[in-house]
Amino acid sequence: MKEQLSEQLIEVGDVFEHSFSFDQEQINLFAEVSGDNNPIHLDSNYAAQTVFKKPIIHGFLGGSVFSKVLGTLFPGEGTIYLKQDMRFTRPMYVGSTYQAVLEVVEVNREKSTALLKTRILDVETGKSTIEGEALVMNKKRL
Amino acid sequence: MKEQLSEQLIEVGDVFEHSFSFDQEQINLFAEVSGDNNPIHLDSNYAAQTVFKKPIIHGFLGGSVFSKVLGTLFPGEGTIYLKQDMRFTRPMYVGSTYQAVLEVVEVNREKSTALLKTRILDVETGKSTIEGEALVMNKKRL
């Protein structure tokens, strides 16, 4: 299922994929909103002297794609976010293309909840940058 | 330890507290940056018809205070974020005052990592809105 909005019930095994990237302006805005102005995200001279070599995306900004997908696309409207675990496995860079992959691993129809495996992959290398799980409630689609 | 910057080594049992709140403008900016424009965060008429009654803060925006604290205050500069788990236990509202409480539960000096218990408390009720754990690396302070 790719970028497809639906009102169907969500089932175990359903997978939703969503491609995205962030530019430096978005990083700067996130730094302003969150108060996380760590120079590793904002200052290319500072970043050049670190193991990352260039500015990296805040983990919380990268991971916010899960919030976007779960809250607006899959399951979408009406979703209540109950849990999100994230392991930041590799750095994410400004301008690179990433793919969020959300796979439904458990559904509880009585509680209208789903547990999803949530990953972000670097499209170029196929390697993960964030791995974890989400638990959501949605009374229409679960 | 309150809002105090330090270059001391961080030890098991250290606790760092940081108060914060978000206004509707910050919520709107986060919605724009993240792409999460779920109306529960943005539309007071929509929110009035839900169990929450008024717009709630995105879980990822609330949780971003952990990124701010860990990346800029405690341990601060040089921190590499390895893991963050969050359970969204209660809704967070625009304009309310919250306190992030980060408590060091394990330190590994060899790896320069720390595991922290991370919570957000509603200052008025004392109840948690987010609970979880973070794992960070910092070569100067761990």
Side-chain angles (χ1 to χ4, degrees):
Chain A
M1 194 183 318
K2 281 209 177 200
E3 303 285 329
Q4 192 179 341
L5 293 173
S6 161
E7 291 303 315
Q8 275 184 292
L9 271 188
I10 286 173
E11 310 280 355
V12 170
D14 284 356
V15 176
F16 192 88
E17 299 173 345
H18 180 74
S19 293
F20 65 101
S21 65
F22 288 108
D23 60 26
Q24 188 63 49
E25 197 183 337
Q26 288 170 295
I27 315 298
N28 297 351
L29 265 180
F30 181 79
E32 193 185 320
V33 171
S34 66
D36 183 354
N37 51 20
N38 186 329
I40 192 68
H41 309 301
L42 305 172
D43 181 341
S44 55
N45 292 329
Y46 175 94
Q49 291 165 21
T50 69
V51 65
F52 302 118
K53 305 299 178 200
K54 48 187 183 169
I56 60 170
I57 296 171
H58 300 77
F60 259 81
L61 178 56
S64 76
V65 72
F66 300 135
S67 176
K68 173 189 180 181
V69 168
L70 295 165
T72 69
L73 299 167
F74 179 81
E77 199 246 312
T79 294
I80 295 176
Y81 219 160
L82 300 175
K83 195 182 90 168
Q84 180 70 58
D85 295 351
M86 297 183 284
R87 293 187 303 284
F88 304 109
T89 52
R90 287 179 186 82
M92 294 175 70
Y93 293 102
V94 177
S96 295
T97 303
Y98 296 99
Q99 186 170 43
V101 181
L102 295 89
E103 180 180 353
V104 180
V105 292
E106 284 176 34
V107 170
N108 183 323
R109 296 277 177 230
E110 202 172 312
K111 295 184 175 175
S112 299
T113 59
L115 183 70
L116 301 99
K117 184 177 169 190
T118 56
R119 283 178 302 158
I120 296 177
L121 305 177
D122 181 322
V123 167
E124 202 173 317
T125 65
K127 292 185 177 170
S128 73
T129 61
I130 302 184
E131 297 185 7
E133 282 186 348
L135 183 69
V136 295
M137 179 188 292
N138 187 299
K139 293 195 182 289
K140 287 186 211 162
R141 300 199 57 199
L142 288 169
Chain B
M1 194 183 318
K2 280 207 177 197
E3 302 284 330
Q4 194 180 339
L5 293 175
S6 161
E7 291 302 317
Q8 277 183 290
L9 270 189
I10 286 174
E11 310 280 355
V12 170
D14 284 356
V15 177
F16 191 90
E17 299 173 347
H18 179 76
S19 293
F20 66 100
S21 67
F22 288 108
D23 61 25
Q24 188 64 50
E25 198 184 334
Q26 288 171 295
I27 316 299
N28 297 351
L29 266 180
F30 181 78
E32 193 185 320
V33 171
S34 67
D36 184 352
N37 51 20
N38 187 328
I40 192 67
H41 309 301
L42 305 172
D43 181 341
S44 54
N45 293 327
Y46 175 93
Q49 292 167 22
T50 69
V51 65
F52 301 117
K53 303 299 179 200
K54 49 188 182 170
I56 59 170
I57 296 171
H58 300 79
F60 258 82
L61 178 56
S64 76
V65 72
F66 300 136
S67 175
K68 174 189 179 180
V69 169
L70 295 166
T72 69
L73 299 168
F74 179 80
E77 198 247 312
T79 294
I80 296 175
Y81 219 161
L82 299 175
K83 196 182 89 167
Q84 179 70 59
D85 294 351
M86 296 183 286
R87 293 186 303 285
F88 304 109
T89 52
R90 287 179 187 81
M92 294 176 70
Y93 293 102
V94 177
S96 295
T97 303
Y98 296 98
Q99 185 169 43
V101 181
L102 294 91
E103 179 180 354
V104 180
V105 293
E106 284 177 33
V107 170
N108 183 324
R109 296 276 177 231
E110 203 173 311
K111 295 184 175 175
S112 299
T113 59
L115 184 69
L116 301 99
K117 184 176 168 189
T118 57
R119 284 178 303 157
I120 295 177
L121 305 177
D122 181 322
V123 167
E124 203 173 317
T125 64
K127 291 184 177 171
S128 73
T129 61
I130 302 184
E131 297 185 8
E133 282 186 348
L135 182 69
V136 295
M137 180 189 292
N138 186 299
K139 293 197 182 285
K140 287 185 209 162
R141 299 198 60 200
L142 290 169

